[in-house]
Amino acid sequence: MTRTVVVLGAGGIGRHHANWWRLEGAEVVAILGRTPESVQRSAARLKELTGFAGGVYTDLATLLRETHPEIVDVCVPAADHVSLARQALEAGCHVLCEKPLAFDAALSSAELERQSRALAARARQRQRVFGLCSQFSVAARTCRELLAAHAPGALRRIGIELRSPARGRAPDPAQTWIDLGPHLVAALQTLAPDAEPDWGALRAVAEGYEARFDFPLTAPGAPPVTVHLAVGFTTGEPANVRRITLNGTPFDLLGETGPDGLFRMRYRSGTVIDEPRPDPMRLLIREFLAGNPPLGPEAACENQRLLLRLLAALPRQ
């Protein structure tokens, strides 16, 4: 039986989610927008992209009551993630939530973590699948598999770098970290599960659009792993940088259109490794539909904790 999905916020990244849900065999039955005008524009773009012919709503309670979806995909701004995800869980829906799980500059880190834990607890109580959008965790897993095939061995050094176009944003390293950092934390969670940063040895830099962190990562009974994380917004070329470096082997993640006309990711490391794979977001949705999101409730809360702890370490400009 076809799974039914609604996308909350289909004007940006949500429309690409909608396409992957469709291609993975689910049916997008409705979308939610902030205003009648904006949601109609989103519906028109989605119809052109996917053939969407579902309902359009500006009120989540009405959408849930009238469409009874199995899955709610939350792609709205971060300040609304918790409230909308909670409504969806209370309606008995499975929930996939965009990153960060919770963020509102007016709230303390303690309150944001409390909200995240409460949301995860509710998902467990309702026995619903709950996942954080963490496609970089899928990409990191792929890089680890490719490295193991060519140079097996334990990880001793991890570098993760993500940069995207500024598109008019003012330089703000803290906001850059909130926007992009969840991806890096998700990758780190995948590459070194159960490890913890050595907070006393952490070095953090805030400069222009960039936030950078260097620290040892420690786990019981294992040697420390040296970690470098960097996020930034770009104003020139290259506009997009996605790079995961494992033990000195850099993998550039290059988005491209495959022969089937669909977006995919190419994993390239010099002249040794050059592998096209499906878009990590498509694989994430595939795994969610199978009931196994890469970052489930507990991992989503851990992502939130590490994200905020690293944010607190950034020097203020």
Side-chain angles (χ1 to χ4, degrees):
M1 184 173 66
T2 300
R3 311 290 295 277
T4 57
V5 182
V6 297
V7 178
L8 315 185
I13 192 66
R15 71 177 181 272
H16 300 295
H17 286 209
N19 195 37
W20 290 136
W21 287 115
R22 176 182 69 90
L23 290 168
E24 287 300 311
E27 179 186 3
V28 178
V29 296
I31 61 173
L32 180 83
R34 286 191 177 275
T35 68
E37 295 77 18
S38 67
V39 76
Q40 289 292 347
R41 287 195 298 270
S42 295
R45 287 194 295 266
L46 204 56
K47 181 178 181 179
E48 184 178 349
L49 178 66
T50 70
F52 172 72
V56 294
Y57 295 84
T58 57
D59 177 70
L60 181 57
T62 304
L63 181 156
L64 293 171
R65 184 175 64 251
E66 293 184 358
T67 65
H68 304 288
E70 293 178 76
I71 299 166
V72 172
D73 187 353
V74 181
C75 299
V76 297
D80 295 324
H81 286 179
V82 170
S83 61
L84 297 188
R86 184 186 300 117
Q87 279 185 259
L89 289 171
E90 295 299 340
C93 304
H94 306 295
V95 174
L96 179 63
C97 185
E98 260 296 346
K99 50 77 185 170
L101 183 58
F103 189 74
D104 185 331
L107 300 178
S108 68
S109 291
E111 173 59 18
L112 292 169
E113 287 192 53
R114 186 200 67 77
Q115 290 184 1
S116 300
R117 290 192 299 269
L119 197 61
R122 195 58 180 147
R124 290 190 295 268
Q125 291 164 1
R126 300 284 290 180
Q127 297 184 318
R128 299 293 87 185
V129 178
F130 183 90
L132 182 69
C133 276
S134 50
Q135 57 265 44
F136 237 60
S137 66
V138 178
R141 187 176 67 204
T142 301
C143 291
R144 184 73 181 97
E145 292 168 355
L146 291 171
L147 180 68
H150 288 81
L155 287 180
R156 293 289 180 260
R157 288 177 291 159
I158 297 172
I160 311 172
E161 180 181 357
L162 179 59
R163 290 180 170 85
S164 298
R167 295 194 177 94
R169 297 178 180 91
D172 184 346
Q175 188 59 51
T176 303
W177 177 246
I178 289 300
D179 289 344
L180 302 180
H183 286 311
L184 277 66
V185 174
L188 203 58
Q189 289 176 266
T190 300
L191 293 167
D194 304 319
E196 179 77 6
D198 181 342
W199 298 107
L202 172 70
R203 292 188 295 113
V205 175
E207 187 175 69
Y209 284 102
E210 292 204 355
R212 301 191 296 273
F213 303 91
D214 291 276
F215 52 88
L217 198 63
T218 61
V225 178
T226 301
V227 174
H228 173 72
L229 306 179
V231 295
F233 287 119
T234 58
T235 56
E237 294 295 334
N240 291 285
V241 177
R242 308 179 193 94
R243 182 174 295 120
I244 296 176
T245 303
L246 305 178
N247 290 347
T249 300
F251 290 88
D252 286 307
L253 282 55
L254 308 172
E256 64 181 23
T257 301
D260 56 2
L262 298 175
F263 181 85
R264 67 182 185 183
M265 194 69 73
R266 181 171 293 276
Y267 296 80
R268 180 175 293 162
S269 183
T271 59
V272 178
I273 299 172
D274 191 353
E275 293 268 354
R277 297 290 178 89
D279 180 14
M281 190 65 215
R282 179 176 190 172
L283 296 178
L284 185 152
I285 283 175
R286 183 180 299 171
E287 292 173 22
F288 186 95
L289 286 167
N292 299 299
L295 264 63
E298 293 79 11
C301 289
E302 180 67 358
N303 187 280
Q304 181 78 27
R305 180 184 73 86
L306 292 171
L307 179 78
L308 295 175
R309 185 79 182 268
L310 288 164
L311 175 67
L314 274 179
R316 299 302 174 184
Q317 288 189 313

